[in-house]
PDB file of all heavy atoms in Angstrom:
ATOM      1  N   ARG A  23     -45.573 -27.586 -36.244  1.00  0.00           N
ATOM      2  CA  ARG A  23     -45.999 -28.293 -35.033  1.00  0.00           C
ATOM      3  C   ARG A  23     -46.691 -29.609 -35.403  1.00  0.00           C
ATOM      4  O   ARG A  23     -46.407 -30.662 -34.804  1.00  0.00           O
ATOM      5  CB  ARG A  23     -46.968 -27.425 -34.230  1.00  0.00           C
ATOM      6  CG  ARG A  23     -47.419 -28.030 -32.925  1.00  0.00           C
ATOM      7  CD  ARG A  23     -47.984 -26.975 -31.981  1.00  0.00           C
ATOM      8  NE  ARG A  23     -49.335 -26.554 -32.322  1.00  0.00           N
ATOM      9  CZ  ARG A  23     -50.442 -27.119 -31.849  1.00  0.00           C
ATOM     10  NH1 ARG A  23     -50.356 -28.142 -31.017  1.00  0.00           N
ATOM     11  NH2 ARG A  23     -51.625 -26.671 -32.189  1.00  0.00           N
ATOM     12  N   SER A  49     -59.441 -52.110 -49.960  1.00  0.00           N
ATOM     13  CA  SER A  49     -58.031 -51.821 -49.632  1.00  0.00           C
ATOM     14  C   SER A  49     -57.130 -52.943 -50.115  1.00  0.00           C
ATOM     15  O   SER A  49     -57.606 -53.981 -50.567  1.00  0.00           O
ATOM     16  CB  SER A  49     -57.865 -51.689 -48.118  1.00  0.00           C
ATOM     17  OG  SER A  49     -57.919 -52.983 -47.534  1.00  0.00           O
ATOM     18  N   ASP A  55     -51.992 -62.767 -49.572  1.00  0.00           N
ATOM     19  CA  ASP A  55     -50.574 -62.442 -49.406  1.00  0.00           C
ATOM     20  C   ASP A  55     -50.301 -61.001 -49.853  1.00  0.00           C
ATOM     21  O   ASP A  55     -49.395 -60.734 -50.652  1.00  0.00           O
ATOM     22  CB  ASP A  55     -49.679 -63.401 -50.200  1.00  0.00           C
ATOM     23  CG  ASP A  55     -49.724 -64.821 -49.638  1.00  0.00           C
ATOM     24  OD1 ASP A  55     -50.164 -64.990 -48.479  1.00  0.00           O
ATOM     25  OD2 ASP A  55     -49.358 -65.748 -50.362  1.00  0.00           O
ATOM     26  N   GLU A 269     -40.015 -47.912 -39.712  1.00  0.00           N
ATOM     27  CA  GLU A 269     -39.741 -48.794 -38.579  1.00  0.00           C
ATOM     28  C   GLU A 269     -38.713 -48.125 -37.638  1.00  0.00           C
ATOM     29  O   GLU A 269     -38.832 -48.203 -36.418  1.00  0.00           O
ATOM     30  CB  GLU A 269     -39.211 -50.148 -39.053  1.00  0.00           C
ATOM     31  CG  GLU A 269     -39.054 -51.122 -37.902  1.00  0.00           C
ATOM     32  CD  GLU A 269     -38.381 -52.423 -38.281  1.00  0.00           C
ATOM     33  OE1 GLU A 269     -37.209 -52.369 -38.760  1.00  0.00           O
ATOM     34  OE2 GLU A 269     -38.992 -53.490 -38.099  1.00  0.00           O
ATOM     35  N   ASP A 281     -45.147 -41.984 -18.498  1.00  0.00           N
ATOM     36  CA  ASP A 281     -45.462 -41.410 -17.182  1.00  0.00           C
ATOM     37  C   ASP A 281     -46.869 -41.748 -16.702  1.00  0.00           C
ATOM     38  O   ASP A 281     -47.350 -41.199 -15.697  1.00  0.00           O
ATOM     39  CB  ASP A 281     -45.273 -39.893 -17.277  1.00  0.00           C
ATOM     40  CG  ASP A 281     -45.289 -39.223 -15.891  1.00  0.00           C
ATOM     41  OD1 ASP A 281     -45.009 -39.935 -14.907  1.00  0.00           O
ATOM     42  OD2 ASP A 281     -45.602 -38.025 -15.811  1.00  0.00           O
ATOM     43  N   HIS A 286     -51.646 -50.707 -13.543  1.00  0.00           N
ATOM     44  CA  HIS A 286     -51.124 -51.686 -14.492  1.00  0.00           C
ATOM     45  C   HIS A 286     -50.014 -51.115 -15.392  1.00  0.00           C
ATOM     46  O   HIS A 286     -49.498 -51.808 -16.239  1.00  0.00           O
ATOM     47  CB  HIS A 286     -52.262 -52.256 -15.366  1.00  0.00           C
ATOM     48  CG  HIS A 286     -52.908 -51.225 -16.246  1.00  0.00           C
ATOM     49  ND1 HIS A 286     -53.766 -50.260 -15.809  1.00  0.00           N
ATOM     50  CD2 HIS A 286     -52.816 -51.017 -17.598  1.00  0.00           C
ATOM     51  CE1 HIS A 286     -54.184 -49.520 -16.818  1.00  0.00           C
ATOM     52  NE2 HIS A 286     -53.608 -49.966 -17.915  1.00  0.00           N
TER      53      HIS A 286
ATOM     54  N   ASN B  91     -45.944 -39.732 -23.817  1.00  0.00           N
ATOM     55  CA  ASN B  91     -47.015 -40.554 -23.278  1.00  0.00           C
ATOM     56  C   ASN B  91     -48.036 -41.000 -24.301  1.00  0.00           C
ATOM     57  O   ASN B  91     -48.783 -41.954 -24.095  1.00  0.00           O
ATOM     58  CB  ASN B  91     -47.744 -39.815 -22.152  1.00  0.00           C
ATOM     59  CG  ASN B  91     -46.955 -39.834 -20.876  1.00  0.00           C
ATOM     60  OD1 ASN B  91     -46.637 -40.897 -20.355  1.00  0.00           O
ATOM     61  ND2 ASN B  91     -46.609 -38.665 -20.379  1.00  0.00           N
ATOM     62  N   GLU B 104     -58.505 -29.456 -32.482  1.00  0.00           N
ATOM     63  CA  GLU B 104     -58.358 -28.039 -32.825  1.00  0.00           C
ATOM     64  C   GLU B 104     -59.138 -27.565 -34.038  1.00  0.00           C
ATOM     65  O   GLU B 104     -59.042 -26.394 -34.392  1.00  0.00           O
ATOM     66  CB  GLU B 104     -56.860 -27.722 -32.989  1.00  0.00           C
ATOM     67  CG  GLU B 104     -56.080 -27.974 -31.682  1.00  0.00           C
ATOM     68  CD  GLU B 104     -54.656 -27.512 -31.745  1.00  0.00           C
ATOM     69  OE1 GLU B 104     -54.181 -27.052 -32.803  1.00  0.00           O
ATOM     70  OE2 GLU B 104     -53.952 -27.623 -30.703  1.00  0.00           O
ATOM     71  N   ASP B 315     -56.993 -48.930 -24.144  1.00  0.00           N
ATOM     72  CA  ASP B 315     -55.724 -48.809 -23.434  1.00  0.00           C
ATOM     73  C   ASP B 315     -54.570 -49.246 -24.350  1.00  0.00           C
ATOM     74  O   ASP B 315     -54.518 -50.400 -24.790  1.00  0.00           O
ATOM     75  CB  ASP B 315     -55.780 -49.715 -22.179  1.00  0.00           C
ATOM     76  CG  ASP B 315     -54.599 -49.480 -21.252  1.00  0.00           C
ATOM     77  OD1 ASP B 315     -53.480 -49.716 -21.665  1.00  0.00           O
ATOM     78  OD2 ASP B 315     -54.844 -49.099 -20.076  1.00  0.00           O
ATOM     79  N   GLY B 360     -39.126 -55.568 -36.479  1.00  0.00           N
ATOM     80  CA  GLY B 360     -38.126 -56.647 -36.660  1.00  0.00           C
ATOM     81  C   GLY B 360     -38.790 -57.993 -36.936  1.00  0.00           C
ATOM     82  O   GLY B 360     -39.770 -58.060 -37.707  1.00  0.00           O
ATOM     83  N   GLU B 367     -53.078 -61.684 -42.133  1.00  0.00           N
ATOM     84  CA  GLU B 367     -54.067 -61.692 -43.204  1.00  0.00           C
ATOM     85  C   GLU B 367     -55.462 -61.961 -42.663  1.00  0.00           C
ATOM     86  O   GLU B 367     -55.627 -62.590 -41.614  1.00  0.00           O
ATOM     87  CB  GLU B 367     -53.663 -62.794 -44.190  1.00  0.00           C
ATOM     88  CG  GLU B 367     -54.502 -62.898 -45.438  1.00  0.00           C
ATOM     89  CD  GLU B 367     -53.834 -63.872 -46.432  1.00  0.00           C
ATOM     90  OE1 GLU B 367     -54.039 -65.077 -46.287  1.00  0.00           O
ATOM     91  OE2 GLU B 367     -53.123 -63.382 -47.321  1.00  0.00           O
ATOM     92  N   MET B 405     -60.839 -51.121 -42.384  1.00  0.00           N
ATOM     93  CA  MET B 405     -59.745 -51.859 -43.013  1.00  0.00           C
ATOM     94  C   MET B 405     -59.912 -52.005 -44.515  1.00  0.00           C
ATOM     95  O   MET B 405     -58.999 -52.442 -45.198  1.00  0.00           O
ATOM     96  CB  MET B 405     -59.635 -53.266 -42.414  1.00  0.00           C
ATOM     97  CG  MET B 405     -59.085 -53.285 -41.014  1.00  0.00           C
ATOM     98  SD  MET B 405     -58.976 -54.948 -40.372  1.00  0.00           S
ATOM     99  CE  MET B 405     -57.605 -55.607 -41.322  1.00  0.00           C
TER     100      MET B 405
END
Side-chain angles (χ1 to χ4, degrees):
Chain A
R23 183 161 77 90
S49 75
D55 293 342
E269 187 188 58
D281 192 23
H286 65 285
Chain B
N91 282 302
E104 298 187 356
D315 190 298
E367 185 169 83
M405 288 180 73

